Amino acid sequence: DGKITEEEAISGFYLVPSCSPVGVPENEWRLAFSRSEVQLKKCISVPLIQAFQACKAVISRLLSRPKAISLYHLRTLMLWACDRLPSSYLFQEENAAHFLLGLIDDLSHCLVNKSCPNYFLPQCNMFENLSDETAMLLARKLSSVRADPSGHLETAIEHAKAANKLAQELRTG
């Protein structure tokens, strides 16, 4: 059914040096669940991956300033959606657009509530240190995407085409 067991998903973790935005670099570490993430990615439906890629294209530039949202947050929301939605729904190709809107809605909800639980450590709120002002600014920006997702997607595609054209011109001299 596309679902994997908890034992398959939790393949251990690594302890890696990494600093929080307000921390001391030489004193901080974090847990990385890389192997588990690889296992889980193998089970994500194509329509949900397509929605994730579209969402990434639309919001990465729009929400880049202030820097508070990363692709890790979006991947986390995608994993939570996999747990929440029935697998029969997840694998229906016609649901890709619904998944895109769902990811946008989930991210908006997280911003407004300043709560984004880590998938592997749900008691860890990844938006814990997000200021109210930043959360509301990003939520407002995201609401403009939700109001016109196709327009924002078209803009992201045009930017990608322009970037590819420029890269090709630079290669050919």
Side-chain angles (χ1 to χ4, degrees):
D1 65 355
K3 300 279 182 174
I4 60 173
T5 66
E6 187 173 337
E7 292 80 28
E8 291 172 312
I10 306 299
S11 306
F13 58 87
Y14 301 100
L15 187 60
V16 296
S18 179
C19 186
S20 67
V22 294
V24 181
E26 52 276 349
N27 294 343
E28 291 192 21
W29 296 73
R30 73 173 176 86
L31 299 175
F33 297 90
S34 307
R35 286 179 34 199
S36 299
E37 290 171 6
V38 168
Q39 284 295 105
L40 289 168
K41 285 178 189 176
K42 293 176 185 176
C43 300
I44 297 173
S45 69
V46 170
L48 188 54
I49 291 289
Q50 291 169 336
F52 172 81
Q53 294 295 340
C55 194
K56 179 174 80 169
V58 167
I59 70 168
S60 59
R61 206 179 101 259
L62 185 70
L63 301 183
S64 64
R65 295 283 178 245
K67 183 72 175 141
I69 305 224
S70 70
L71 290 180
Y72 190 78
H73 295 107
L74 196 56
R75 269 194 300 276
T76 296
L77 295 176
M78 182 175 60
L79 292 173
W80 282 120
C82 287
D83 279 359
R84 188 175 65 245
L85 299 170
S87 59
S88 58
Y89 184 74
L90 287 168
F91 285 88
Q92 294 176 9
E93 289 190 24
E94 63 272 12
N95 291 333
H98 296 288
F99 297 148
L100 170 61
L101 297 177
L103 286 171
I104 292 169
D105 291 344
D106 289 350
L107 184 54
S108 292
H109 178 79
C110 288
L111 286 167
V112 167
N113 293 298
K114 285 182 37 182
S115 176
C116 186
N118 181 286
Y119 185 77
F120 299 100
L121 299 169
Q123 68 276 17
C124 176
N125 176 11
M126 297 188 298
F127 285 168
E128 181 178 44
N129 295 317
L130 191 63
S131 73
D132 290 342
E133 297 79 21
T134 299
M136 288 304 114
L137 172 66
L138 293 173
R140 278 193 300 275
K141 287 181 175 185
L142 201 54
S143 72
S144 75
V145 173
R146 184 59 168 91
D148 182 23
S150 60
H152 283 274
L153 197 51
E154 287 174 20
T155 300
I157 290 168
E158 291 305 316
H159 281 113
K161 285 179 180 176
N164 285 340
K165 183 180 177 185
L166 179 61
Q168 192 171 28
E169 289 172 0
L170 290 172
R171 279 192 298 268
T172 58

